[in-house]
Amino acid sequence: MKNLIITIFFITGLVLTGCNHDDEPVVDYYVRYTAIAKPNAKVRMYFRNETSENSHVDASMPDGKFQYCVGPVKRGFEAVLGASYYDAGGYADYLSIEVAIGSAPFVLKKNGTNTSGLLYVLE
């Protein structure tokens, strides 16, 4: 009986020391930013890129839909998105931040209508 208890404690110790979070694989995330505005309106879309620098694009689209993807990025990345009408003022009608892990499909993480911007931190 004593040997059985010692064996159980030994196995439990091995299992607990084998669960080290440093051994977790590094996961690549991809972020897709979307802004929807009025068709053919000139929009300034600003976002955080994969080097954590702020970027912007000035453009107009026939359907009013603007999308930009960045990655790979790591856990803790701060995804930031904003879009406003370049000449007329005001905010884009709809903004969204979606995240994909590796080659998995994108999942909506944050969205808003008529807002100045969105922030989402990858967890």
Side-chain angles (χ1 to χ4, degrees):
M1 183 68 171
K2 184 178 177 182
N3 287 339
L4 179 62
I5 294 173
I6 291 172
T7 303
I8 291 172
F9 280 127
F10 178 74
I11 292 172
T12 303
L14 286 175
V15 169
L16 292 176
T17 58
C19 296
N20 185 346
H21 292 290
D22 293 338
D23 296 337
E24 290 182 6
V26 177
V27 177
D28 287 334
Y29 295 86
Y30 296 87
V31 177
R32 180 167 60 196
Y33 299 112
T34 301
I36 298 177
K38 294 174 180 62
N40 295 313
K42 190 168 183 183
V43 170
R44 171 168 281 175
M45 180 177 172
Y46 61 91
F47 54 91
R48 181 124 339 123
N49 66 26
E50 50 274 295
T51 60
S52 294
E53 296 173 345
N54 294 326
S55 298
H56 76 274
V57 173
D58 294 335
S60 61
M61 299 297 281
D63 63 356
K65 185 174 183 178
F66 301 82
Q67 282 192 322
Y68 197 83
C69 293
V70 299
V73 297
K74 304 295 180 214
R75 184 179 300 171
F77 177 79
E78 292 183 350
V80 177
L81 170 64
S84 59
Y85 291 103
Y86 191 75
D87 296 328
Y91 304 122
D93 300 339
Y94 175 81
L95 300 176
S96 70
I97 296 174
E98 298 168 282
V99 176
I101 300 172
S103 61
F106 282 97
V107 175
L108 179 65
K109 294 298 184 177
K110 195 119 187 209
N111 67 341
T113 56
N114 297 312
T115 182
S116 61
L118 301 175
L119 167 69
Y120 178 77
V121 179
L122 277 67
E123 301 172 350

